[in-house]
Amino acid sequence: MNQNDYLIAWGVYAFAAIGCLWVAFKLTGWMWRYLREPLRVLVAVLLFSPTIIDPVKEQFAPAVAITALDLAFKVGTNVWRAVSDLAMYAMIAAGLYVIFALIRWPIEKSRKANQPPTAAEQAATEPADDEPYAPVDDNRYGRKPAPPPSASSRARVEPRL
């Protein structure tokens, strides 16, 4: 394999790995954020971590492929090197992700504190009526009738059943 073939093979692999990463992003899109992001980091590490296969020629190959092929064909010459490279890249990526998450956390906290409350949060803080659908003029059960709404108050209008 000459240098041109080597670069073409890496280009094809990079294109396929980007496609696999896109599929992983689509598959993890529905998950909880703090599970989704580490899984995406792990998939990126598995797809894009190289390991050396020939120290003399300085040729590299994807560490996952070397590990899978050496284990499948029971060759075992580069398995431990590939696994150690994967572990090293995974630790580096996990450390960078933790640093990124720790930097992002107070920024999001302050942004959330500065935002106006949503309609759901406002509804949760409003005092709840005991019987929101009770008729106003019904005095059958000994209740006092509700005072008529004033023009200045913005009382909500409930449907009559």
Side-chain angles (χ1 to χ4, degrees):
M1 174 182 271
N2 60 18
Q3 186 67 22
N4 194 25
D5 293 342
Y6 180 72
L7 290 176
I8 289 173
W10 265 110
V12 169
Y13 178 78
F15 185 73
I18 289 171
C20 290
L21 187 64
W22 179 74
V23 169
F25 269 58
K26 290 293 186 186
L27 288 176
T28 59
W30 61 272
M31 292 181 180
W32 181 50
R33 175 184 189 175
Y34 299 106
L35 176 64
R36 173 182 65 221
E37 290 177 351
L39 281 176
R40 289 177 175 178
V41 168
L42 181 66
V43 168
V45 164
L46 288 174
L47 289 172
F48 295 111
S49 58
T51 188
I52 195 160
I53 54 171
D54 190 6
V56 176
K57 294 181 182 177
E58 293 185 9
Q59 288 187 339
F60 291 87
V64 170
I66 295 300
T67 304
L69 289 173
D70 281 0
L71 288 176
F73 296 121
K74 296 181 179 147
V75 177
T77 56
N78 291 323
V79 172
W80 292 112
R81 183 181 299 143
V83 169
S84 68
D85 284 345
L86 276 173
M88 179 187 65
Y89 290 129
M91 285 189 292
I92 290 170
L96 290 174
Y97 173 71
V98 167
I99 291 170
F100 170 73
L102 289 176
I103 290 171
R104 182 182 61 190
W105 184 43
I107 294 170
E108 286 182 350
K109 213 173 179 184
S110 68
R111 183 184 301 156
K112 209 176 257 190
N114 292 338
Q115 285 181 348
T118 62
E121 292 171 351
Q122 285 179 350
T125 58
E126 287 181 6
D129 294 337
D130 288 340
E131 293 185 35
Y133 296 111
V136 175
D137 57 350
D138 190 14
N139 199 9
R140 285 186 292 183
Y141 303 110
R143 293 189 206 110
K144 295 179 188 174
S150 64
S152 64
S153 70
R154 292 258 196 221
R156 64 179 186 206
V157 178
E158 297 291 339
R160 296 186 57 87
L161 299 175

